C-alpha cells in the first residue's frame, strides 16, 4: 500500500502539471472504486481550474475552483501516471483528468481499493476521512512528548500504534518496520513500555526514514511507481522490510518474519528490544 513517501512523491510529481491549470476532459469509470464515484464529479470538475495539491496522511487533496477539494486515495494498489498527451486508457484506469495544454493525469487501480471524493473546502476539518487523522510525522506537532502521551497506558504493540492513522498519519507497514529497526525497538513491545529513551530514538528514526524515502521517490514494492514511470529507489535502502531469512545488516543474525494482526512484520530479535 502506498504510504506517506509514495503519496508525497505523487503529489510533488503532479503539482507542476496541474497547478493553475483548467480541467478540459474527464473520464470517470463506470465501476467505481472502493465506493462509487461522487455523482456530480464530471459536472463539478469540467472547465474548473486546479490549485496546488497538498497531502494529508495518505490522501492527496487537490483544490478545485470554486472552493472545492478533490480527494484521491491510492488504496492498496493504486497509482497515478502523468502523460504529455491523451493516453489510451487501459482496463484498470478508472479515473482520468485532461488539462489545458493536453496533459493527462490517470488513476490506475487494479484492486479498486482506492477512492475519489469531492467536497466543499469548508468541510476539510470535518470530513469523515480527515477529521480523526493524527499529526503529520514530519511536522513539529509530532514530538517525543506527543508520542509518549499516545503510548502511555496502551496495551497494543508499538507497531500497531504506529499504523493507527489517528495517532500519526501516513505510516504503514514498510516505514513502521524500518523505523522500529533503526530505533532498535521490537515491534512486539507493548506501546505503554515505550519510555523516554526509546521515544527519543523512535521519533527521529521515523522522521529520518520518511525524509530519505521521499528523497528517493518512495519505495517500489508491488505496484508503486512514480507518476513519470520511474520506480521508487528507496526499495534499495530497506534495511529490514522484506528481508526475512537474510542476515541482519547490523548484527548478522537471521531476520525474522512474524504476523501481527494480519500484517507481516520483519524484525531482528537481537537488535530490536
Ligand atoms: Zn540484528
Amino acid at each position: 500500500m502506498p504510504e506517506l513517501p509514495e503519496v508525497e512523491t505523487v503529489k510533488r510529481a503532479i503539482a507542476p502539471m496541474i497547478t493553475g491549470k483548467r480541467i478540459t476532459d474527464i473520464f470517470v469509470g463506470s465501476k467505481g472504486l472502493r465506493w462509487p464515484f461522487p455523482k456530480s464529479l464530471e459536472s463539478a470538475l469540467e472547465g474548473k481550474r486546479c490549485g496546488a495539491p497538498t497531502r494529508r496522511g495518505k490522501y492527496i487533496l487537490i483544490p478545485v475552483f470554486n472552493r472545492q477539494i478533490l480527494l484521491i486515495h491510492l488504496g492498496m494498489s493504486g497509482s497515478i501516471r502523468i502523460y504529455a498527451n491523451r493516453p489510451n486508457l487501459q482496463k484498470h484506469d478508472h479515473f482520468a483528468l485532461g488539462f489545458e495544454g493536453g496533459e493527462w493525469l490517470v488513476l490506475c487501480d487494479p484492486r479498486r481499493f482506492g477512492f475519489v471524493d469531492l467536497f466543499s473546502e469548508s468541510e476539510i476539518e470535518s470530513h469523515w476521512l480527515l477529521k480523526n487523522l493524527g499529526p503529520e510525522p514530519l511536522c513539529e506537532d509530532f514530538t517525543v512528548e506527543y508520542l509518549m502521551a499516545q503510548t502511555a497506558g496502551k496495551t497494543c504493540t508499538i507497531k500497531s500504534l504506529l499504523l493507527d492513522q489517528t495517532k500519526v498519519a501516513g505510516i504503514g507497514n514498510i516505514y513502521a518496520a524500518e523505523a522500529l529497526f533503526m530505533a532498535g525497538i521490537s515491534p512486539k513491545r507493548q506501546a505503554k513500555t515505550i519510555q523516554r529513551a526509546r521515544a527519543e530514538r523512535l521519533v527521529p528514526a521515523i522522521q529520518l526514514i520518511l525524509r530519505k524515502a521521499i528523497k528517493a521517490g518512495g519505495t517500489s514494492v508491488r505496484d508503486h511507481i512514480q507518476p513519470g514511470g520511474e520506480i521508487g529507489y528507496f526499495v534499495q535502502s530497506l534495511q529490514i522490510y522484506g528481508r526475512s531469512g537474510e542476515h541482519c545488516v547490523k548484527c548478522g543474525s537471521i531476520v525474522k518474519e512474524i504476523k501481527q494482526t494480519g500484517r507481516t512484520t520483519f524484525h531482528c530479535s537481537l537488535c530490536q528490544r
Side-chain angles (χ1 to χ4, degrees):
M1 174 190 273
E3 302 179 30
L4 188 157
E6 291 75 47
V7 179
E8 180 69 21
T9 301
V10 171
K11 185 208 82 180
R12 291 181 184 189
I14 66 173
M17 192 189 97
I18 70 171
T19 305
K21 300 274 182 62
R22 203 179 290 281
I23 298 169
T24 53
D25 273 293
I26 304 162
F27 168 77
V28 179
S30 56
K31 273 184 176 168
L33 296 170
R34 189 188 307 183
W35 298 298
F37 289 104
K39 282 199 177 68
S40 58
L41 204 52
E42 283 167 286
S43 58
L45 296 179
E46 181 85 59
K48 300 296 187 341
R49 205 175 284 282
C50 293
T54 59
R55 180 193 54 74
R56 181 77 174 96
K58 301 173 189 172
Y59 301 107
I60 294 169
L61 306 172
I62 302 174
V64 179
F65 189 83
N66 177 9
R67 297 186 181 281
Q68 298 196 91
I69 302 287
L70 178 67
L71 176 151
I72 301 177
H73 186 259
L74 299 173
M76 301 290 288
S77 59
S79 61
I80 284 179
R81 302 292 299 274
I82 52 183
Y83 296 90
N85 299 296
R86 177 190 282 267
N88 287 320
L89 294 177
Q90 306 295 313
K91 185 182 171 193
H92 298 300
D93 296 337
H94 298 291
F95 178 67
L97 298 174
F99 290 86
E100 59 183 339
E103 291 155 313
W104 280 72
L105 176 160
V106 177
L107 173 62
C108 172
D109 189 353
R111 297 175 67 184
R112 294 171 47 227
F113 278 107
F115 48 87
V116 170
D117 198 11
L118 185 73
F119 54 90
S120 162
E121 194 183 87
S122 62
E123 290 171 52
I124 199 158
E125 298 291 327
S126 60
H127 190 277
W128 68 282
L129 291 166
L130 304 174
K131 66 179 178 186
N132 295 321
L133 286 179
E136 289 290 321
L138 294 177
C139 289
E140 56 190 19
D141 298 347
F142 186 66
T143 60
V144 169
E145 284 68 30
Y146 172 80
L147 183 68
M148 288 175 67
Q150 297 305 310
T151 55
K154 299 292 190 326
T155 54
C156 65
T157 64
I158 182 62
K159 184 180 171 209
S160 57
L161 187 128
L162 293 181
L163 297 185
D164 180 347
Q165 302 298 299
T166 69
K167 301 291 190 286
V168 53
I171 298 175
N173 215 28
I174 296 175
Y175 299 105
E178 292 296 310
L180 287 167
F181 179 69
M182 179 182 270
I185 297 171
S186 170
K188 297 187 280 187
R189 175 172 281 278
Q190 272 195 321
K192 67 178 183 184
T193 67
I194 299 287
Q195 305 289 343
R196 179 167 290 274
R198 282 188 171 84
E200 282 178 346
R201 298 203 301 269
L202 186 52
V203 168
I206 289 168
Q207 293 172 333
L208 183 62
I209 295 280
L210 293 174
R211 285 206 175 93
K212 278 186 169 177
I214 291 169
K215 212 172 167 191
T219 300
S220 287
V221 288
R222 301 200 187 96
D223 310 289
H224 172 76
I225 42 170
Q226 298 186 50
E230 311 91 340
I231 63 161
Y233 293 100
F234 197 71
V235 68
Q236 292 149 8
S237 304
L238 296 175
Q239 303 286 294
I240 194 87
Y241 183 88
R243 291 186 176 271
S244 57
E246 294 180 29
H247 292 285
C248 168
V249 295
K250 287 187 195 167
C251 75
S253 63
I254 300 297
V255 173
K256 290 180 182 149
E257 177 181 334
I258 54 167
K259 287 275 182 200
Q260 283 181 303
T261 55
R263 311 291 301 274
T264 307
T265 294
F266 302 92
H267 71 111
C268 172
S269 50
L270 234 65
C271 293
Q272 294 177 262
R273 299 294 178 126

